[in-house]
Amino acid sequence: AVPAAGHVRAAFLRFFEQRHGHRHLPSAPVRPRGDPRLLFVNAGMNQFKPVFLGTVHPRSELAQQRRVVNCQKCVRAGGKHNDLEDVGRDTSHHTFFEMLGNWSFGDYFKEEACTMAWELLTEVYEIPKDRLYVTYFGGDSSLGLSMDEECRDIWLRLGVPASHVLPFSLKDNFWEMGDTGPCGPCTEIHYDHVGGGRNAAALVNQGSPDVVEIWNLVFMQYNREVEGNLLPLPQHHVDTGMGLERLVTVLQNKRSNYDTDLFTPILDAIQKGCGGPRYQGLVGRADMSGVDTAYRVVADHARTLCVCIADGVYPGLSGAELVLRRILRRAVRFCSEVLRAPPGLLASLVPTVVDVLGDAYPELRKNADQIADIINENEAAFLSSLARGRRIIERTVQHMEPSTDFPAEVAWSLYGNLGFPLDLIDLMLEEKGIRLDSAAFDELALEDARRKARDPQAGELEGADWHLDVHSLAQLQSNNVPITDDSPKYAYTLGQRGQYEFSPCQATVLMLYRNQSLQKEVGAGQHCGVILDRTNFYAEQGGQASDRGYLMPLGQQDMLFPVESVHLCGGYVVHEVTAVETLRAGDQVQLFVDETQRLACMTNHTAAHLLNFALRHVLGDNTEQRGSHVTAERLRFDFNTKGPMTTEQLQQVEQLVQEMINRNEVMHMAEVPLALARRVQGLRSMDEEYPDPVRIVSLGVPVESVLIHNSKAAMHTSVELCCGTHLLQTGVMEDLAIISERQLAKGISRVVAVTGGQAKQAREVGQCLAMEVDSVSIRMKQESTSIPDVQHLSKEVGQLTQVVANTAMPQWQRKELQTTLKALQRTANTTIRKLEIQQAAEKAHSLLAKHCNQPLIIDTVPADSASILMKVVNQLCDKSPGTSVLLLSPQASGEVLCACQVSKNCLPIFSAADWATAVCMQMEGKAGGSCVVAKGSGNAKGMQRALTTAMEFAQSKL
């Protein structure tokens, strides 16, 4: 009987834990903690990086570990390991996989690692020895790395026949963590699926489906420095990784990962759910209908979705969340279009995925219901966009000239407005046998990126083309065109499950605006301003960015007019639109606001009010707002101030805002006569024109209570005049973090804050950096007497200082860490100086004893740096004022350092700079300095000649 996947996983953990004394650590979540550069945990070693880098916190649990075994959940999609498009097309790529690994942190090395691996594979899993091949590093002369003979000999001693032990180059058998950092040779174990006594050595590493790598053992023994050179690591580590899916395929005698019990229950559930033919495992041309590819895509993606959502990564708009949204949408599309399954199939697979993986990862069981809800919600939203998008593509294709490319602006609106992944547009066009005009599409993407990169304040200038000019405004008024009713922008409610529901809106086109003039009609492909009788789009005002979205002709579902931005001019709301087809005054349209972006703006606008209140509370009543800008990404707030905020003040402000968020206060909003509003005590307003009636936004206190004569309510909560759109309750905000504060001008401060998931991420990053800083300071206190060690710490402090300055994290914490890092940098510099003086004194002492009081000392001496060498020279001359000294110091790199000082008695005939230059020229180097002291360097090849020259030159001058 073949072993079940659960047994295979358990046997691995048990073997290392019980037979070989390893500590079993649970898998880290797939969301990387505090590493904003990484989207997902994509290898077993991610959580152990600090150990390899030597930056692990000395008091952390991890620092105590010597031998560890684990099974890590990994996701590879997006970023460097982008396997998304390959998944489903073959039987070996996955977006989620499990990585089995055993680790040694400065404990055992090559001998034990290879022995244990061989014992596990051949004795516990009983894999026939003649089917296994091992590879080792064959050396690299350009890097000066010799062949890993030690590794080769270990395998031969373990009884692996020489014909199965194969050397390979840097590409296959040298592993690096990144451009810099720990690295080393590795040895891989490959398995031949065919067997039967053949020798498959020629197929190893040749991409053959018959001979596959199953286990990689990495021996970390070097560190790649920033300069690109390799230095040996003080401690050797072992990092091994074996994909569970591949191992199970071997042990269950299958040729495809999808034929193992990690996938078959899910594939059966898909078949039950869509009622189609059974999964047959066909690939490529054989899978004409694409049904088997769809089975694999959906099974793989269902696993990934469950694992990610259970670990708190939800489908969203940026980073890992965006990648997960693409994975979900790809799965939905294969469900609906290829498998013709009813909506809900994807979520119906959750219980099966939980059955397969739940024992190993209990968090899946705990969150099963929530996972299914999130999948269903996202699927429903995408299916409606998908139907819309398909109709738009059909219509566009019908109207296209034969043998032309699909228009980029239509593709761009599908991408930007309906959230279509680019690969999806490509696929849908490929099925129709047409290509996208990708050059034009890339140009649009570039333009959009440029627009986003410009300062948010530039938003106001860049819409200038769409601000009605004086003549057009006068013309609208004289033609009695009514101003736009934009009250529908406030028409939204909270649904049962706390989600926002925005009321639909339809309108009539009253007038179009292009090239500074009003027009009744605008042709296809033109950019224009559209004036409607009513709108639910928010136009940029009160510091809040405008909405984005699209219009659709009423009753026509196959055309979409993207709305880029919205502006308010003399009561008319102008929508900046790209006309995909002719637009005419009198056309009826349906309006679709980008709800995700709007909700993010609402969250951040409410946050700005809470922040305003908290700043006054902490800094005093005379704190006045000087300006603000709110976008979907962040909020910016300017206010008058006496000086930079202290760490404590920043923390107090955040804490106050968090209390208001946690109370889930209701935001009350109402229109009131301006005269009445002006009487409110404690009202926050700007020195600007307000309309009459004016809108009041009040936190936690109904507007009528605020308006009562002599009421003090507004003194104790946030009450502002504001036309912006706000949350109905504060709880959705989750959190607020101030991530920067700077002085704009004398007496004016600007803070930038983020909310929700971004605030949470900023805090996480802050905590991780605080741990790293703490780790350095503890290691600094261990007062090393080795200069290279302290220099390494100093370098680490320098790198951390840069990261702390440039990473989004709470500002109070940044200030704290910057103070600590400054002090650490000073300590390191002082320590290095002290150690250099101490070492120089010892060297000077022995040289004096050797040359006792001669007028000339010329010698070689070991020294770790040019500054130590110089100090030895200085100390010799101090102790023996009549002596002139020149010292050479050969370095490990092949360079020779030179330093010299001339006794005052010998000036001006004898010059130190000339002496050093003459000596270094003999070593093909150069030197410089004054007539008293000089230094230089050269090449070791000429060192003997240089010493002779030093003597001859000095004697000619003395």
Side-chain angles (χ1 to χ4, degrees), residues 795-827:
K795 205 176 193 178
E796 205 181 313
V797 170
Q799 285 164 346
L800 267 175
T801 304
Q802 277 190 313
V803 174
V804 167
N806 300 322
T807 310
M809 62 187 286
Q811 179 67 11
W812 64 264
Q813 196 165 25
R814 188 192 325 272
K815 289 176 87 151
E816 274 186 1
L817 296 183
Q818 283 173 330
T819 309
T820 310
L821 287 166
K822 257 195 193 128
L824 286 173
Q825 196 62 73
R826 276 200 302 273
T827 307

Side-chain angles (χ1 to χ4, degrees), residues 565-585:
S565 66
V566 191
H567 305 276
L568 184 66
C569 310
Y572 295 102
V573 175
V574 183
H575 304 74
E576 182 193 344
V577 165
T578 305
V580 243
E581 300 211 3
T582 307
L583 251 181
R584 296 179 182 84

Side-chain angles (χ1 to χ4, degrees), residues 79 291 301 356 434 440 482 509 741 751 797:
V291 168
H301 290 9
V356 174
I434 45 184
V509 176
E741 185 234 358
V751 294
V797 170

Side-chain angles (χ1 to χ4, degrees), residues 898-910:
C898 165
C900 65
Q901 181 170 344
V902 171
S903 164
K904 293 213 172 53
N905 317 346
C906 307
L907 298 173
I909 304 159
F910 192 1

Side-chain angles (χ1 to χ4, degrees), residues 716-784:
H716 306 295
T717 185
S718 160
V719 180
E720 299 197 25
L721 299 184
C722 179
C723 60
T725 55
H726 285 272
L727 294 177
L728 300 171
Q729 285 183 277
T730 57
V732 183
M733 203 179 298
E734 290 176 3
D735 191 3
L736 173 138
I738 295 173
I739 56 167
S740 103
E741 185 234 358
R742 63 190 180 91
Q743 301 290 293
L744 269 196
K746 192 165 165 47
I748 295 192
S749 261
R750 165 169 294 178
V751 294
V752 175
V754 289
T755 56
Q758 280 178 290
K760 184 176 163 188
Q761 171 126 26
R763 287 192 196 290
E764 241 176 48
V765 171
Q767 279 168 342
C768 291
L769 285 172
M771 285 285 286
E772 286 184 40
V773 172
D774 198 33
S775 164
V776 178
S777 54
I778 288 175
R779 284 177 285 132
M780 197 81 88
K781 285 195 186 96
Q782 291 162 354
E783 295 194 1
S784 166

Side-chain angles (χ1 to χ4, degrees), residues 105 171 426 452 616 872:
F105 305 131
K171 183 172 80 69
D426 280 336
K452 287 199 177 102
R616 280 183 71 217
V872 180

Side-chain angles (χ1 to χ4, degrees), residues 523-744:
Q526 309 277 16
H527 222 55
C528 66
V530 178
I531 299 169
L532 304 169
D533 60 341
R534 57 200 303 265
T535 183
N536 56 349
F537 277 78
Y538 183 87
E540 171 143 9
Q541 55 180 323
Q544 180 179 326
S546 77
D547 281 339
R548 288 201 306 266
Y550 56 95
L551 314 175
M552 282 188 130
L554 198 59
Q556 247 186 300
Q557 289 287 300
D558 55 6
M559 219 193 303
L560 174 154
F561 298 99
V563 177
E564 314 279 338
S565 66
V566 191
H567 305 276
L568 184 66
C569 310
Y572 295 102
V573 175
V574 183
H575 304 74
E576 182 193 344
V577 165
T578 305
V580 243
E581 300 211 3
T582 307
L583 251 181
R584 296 179 182 84
D587 283 353
Q588 304 252 297
V589 289
Q590 251 179 311
L591 284 65
F592 296 91
V593 169
D594 179 336
E595 294 178 5
T596 317
Q597 192 229 355
R598 158 71 82 86
L599 186 55
C601 282
M602 283 160 51
T603 304
N604 286 343
H605 203 148
T606 301
H609 284 217
L610 303 190
L611 184 63
N612 190 359
F613 176 74
L615 283 167
R616 280 183 71 217
H617 195 87
V618 172
L619 301 177
D621 274 345
N622 48 5
T623 308
E624 293 291 345
Q625 176 176 346
R626 286 279 176 262
S628 69
H629 193 257
V630 172
T631 64
E633 290 76 40
R634 50 182 38 192
L635 59 124
R636 198 189 70 210
F637 194 86
D638 304 342
F639 56 98
N640 61 339
T641 162
K642 292 191 177 64
M645 291 171 72
T646 64
T647 313
E648 293 72 39
Q649 287 171 334
L650 286 161
Q651 281 174 300
Q652 283 170 341
V653 168
E654 280 188 0
Q655 211 171 347
L656 255 177
V657 174
Q658 277 155 0
E659 285 165 15
M660 295 185 266
I661 294 171
N662 296 340
R663 289 201 297 270
N664 199 15
E665 298 267 24
V666 174
M667 297 298 290
H668 297 275
M669 289 162 267
E671 295 226 320
V672 302
L674 188 57
L676 208 57
R678 290 256 189 238
R679 294 212 305 262
V680 174
Q681 298 180 37
L683 177 77
R684 311 304 294 153
S685 66
M686 300 278 288
D687 304 333
E688 55 177 78
E689 287 297 305
Y690 284 98
D692 191 4
V694 69
R695 208 169 151 75
I696 285 191
V697 179
S698 164
L699 171 77
V701 179
V703 175
E704 18 320 347
S705 314
V706 171
L707 292 173
I708 296 168
H709 190 55
N710 281 338
S711 159
K712 296 275 189 285
M715 310 286 274
H716 306 295
T717 185
S718 160
V719 180
E720 299 197 25
L721 299 184
C722 179
C723 60
T725 55
H726 285 272
L727 294 177
L728 300 171
Q729 285 183 277
T730 57
V732 183
M733 203 179 298
E734 290 176 3
D735 191 3
L736 173 138
I738 295 173
I739 56 167
S740 103
E741 185 234 358
R742 63 190 180 91
Q743 301 290 293
L744 269 196

